[in-house]
Amino acid sequence: EAGVAQSPRYKIIEKRQSVAFWCNPISGHATLYWYQQILGQGPKLLIQFQNNGVVDDSQLPKDRFSAERLKGVDSTLKIQPAKLEDSAVYLCASSPLTQYLTDTQYFGPGTRLTVL
Amino acid sequence: AQSVTQLGSHVSVSEGALVLLRCNYSSSVPPYLFWYVQYPNQGLQLLLKYTSAATLVKGINGFEAEFKKSETSFHLTKPSAHMSDAAEYFCAVSPPITGTASKLTFGTGTRLQVTL
C-alpha cells in the first residue's frame, strides 16, 4: 500500500513570496490533515478535511494560508505572502473513517519550508 | 481542552538499557492516547495507541506503554534500547470518540539518544 505522498520535500523562498505544497493521501482515506511543525515543537493542526469539506480550520491563519481538497482526494496548502515565522515542516496526514475503530493518522514525509 | 506534557526534551540511554519516555495528559475524561516516532527527515509513524481497551498496550519495535488513570500518565518503555531507536518521540491525545475523525494534540517531543 502506497503511503502519503508530499511534494516538494524542500523549499526555500524569500519573505513575502508565495508557496504551495501538495499532498496525495492514501487511497480511500476520507480524512486529510495539514500540520505545521516548527523546529523543537510538536505538530500543530492547521486544517482537517473530511472528503472535500473542511471539518476544522480554527488554527489556520486565514489571512495568508489557504488549503483546498478538490474531488476529495489530493490537497494543496498555500501560503501567500510568506513570513519568516512560517519556516517549518508542513506535514500531511490521512486517515480512514471507520465506525468502530479509532482511526489512525498516517503521515507523509513532510515539506521543509525555509523563509529567508 | 486536552493536552499532553512530555517530561524531558532529551533522553540519553546506553544501548541495551531501559528506555523510559514520560507523558502525562490533561483531560476531563480518559482520552485516547498515542505515541508516534519521527526519524530524521521523515514523517511520523505510529508506535502504539490506547483506546480504552487493555491498559497495557504493546506496539511496534518492542515498545509498550501503560495507561494509568490515577497518575494521568502514558509512559513509553522498551526493555533494551537499540541504536536504531534514536529518534524523536511524540505523545499525542485525542477525544475518546469513535466514528469521527480523530483530532490529535501533540506534545513537544522527546529526543532519544542511544549511546554505545
Side-chain angles (χ1 to χ4, degrees):
Chain A
E1 178 180 80
V4 177
Q6 290 188 247
S7 67
R9 291 295 312 275
Y10 304 92
K11 189 75 177 177
I12 300 174
I13 62 173
E14 303 265 336
K15 60 182 178 182
R16 290 188 290 274
Q17 285 186 323
S18 301
V19 65
F21 313 126
W22 175 82
C23 172
N24 189 28
I26 293 173
S27 178
H29 280 193
T31 310
L32 185 147
Y33 311 78
W34 282 103
Y35 289 86
Q36 180 191 57
Q37 185 179 16
I38 293 173
L39 186 65
Q41 299 181 21
K44 182 186 81 172
L45 180 68
L46 291 176
I47 188 167
Q48 176 183 346
F49 293 93
Q50 188 163 310
N51 296 310
N52 61 349
V54 175
V55 174
D56 184 354
D57 63 357
S58 58
Q59 298 194 83
L60 187 73
K62 299 180 186 62
D63 58 333
R64 298 184 299 107
F65 286 64
S66 64
E68 60 182 10
R69 190 184 183 195
L70 299 176
K71 301 180 181 178
V73 182
D74 54 354
S75 174
T76 56
L77 176 69
K78 297 179 181 178
I79 308 175
Q80 180 180 4
K83 293 184 176 182
L84 296 177
E85 59 261 35
D86 298 332
S87 293
V89 175
Y90 290 85
L91 295 165
C92 179
S94 70
S95 65
L97 188 60
T98 58
Q99 184 177 1
Y100 302 108
L101 298 174
T102 301
D103 42 324
T104 295
Q105 295 187 26
Y106 298 86
F107 285 79
T111 296
R112 182 177 299 276
L113 173 67
T114 301
V115 182
L116 302 175
Chain B
Q2 299 178 312
S3 65
V4 289
T5 301
Q6 292 185 242
L7 297 175
S9 58
H10 290 85
V11 171
S12 182
V13 300
S14 300
E15 190 174 34
L18 171 71
V19 175
L20 171 60
L21 304 182
R22 300 178 185 273
C23 174
N24 288 88
Y25 69 88
S26 174
S27 176
S28 57
V29 296
Y32 292 159
L33 291 156
F34 306 77
W35 276 100
Y36 280 84
V37 61
Q38 186 176 34
Y39 297 102
N41 299 315
Q42 295 187 28
L44 281 73
Q45 180 184 8
L46 181 68
L47 278 175
L48 48 81
K49 62 182 178 182
Y50 166 77
T51 56
S52 72
T55 56
L56 182 61
V57 181
K58 295 186 182 299
I60 62 172
N61 301 339
F63 285 93
E64 63 181 36
E66 186 172 8
F67 174 75
K68 292 187 177 181
K69 183 178 178 181
S70 61
E71 299 178 8
T72 62
S73 69
F74 191 58
H75 301 331
L76 182 70
T77 61
K78 182 174 181 178
S80 177
H82 192 273
M83 295 297 289
S84 60
D85 295 327
E88 187 93 20
Y89 292 80
F90 292 94
C91 183
V93 62
S94 77
I97 303 171
T98 58
T100 62
S102 60
K103 297 178 187 293
L104 292 175
T105 300
F106 286 88
T108 52
T110 297
R111 182 168 298 278
L112 176 65
Q113 181 182 20
V114 182
T115 59
L116 289 172

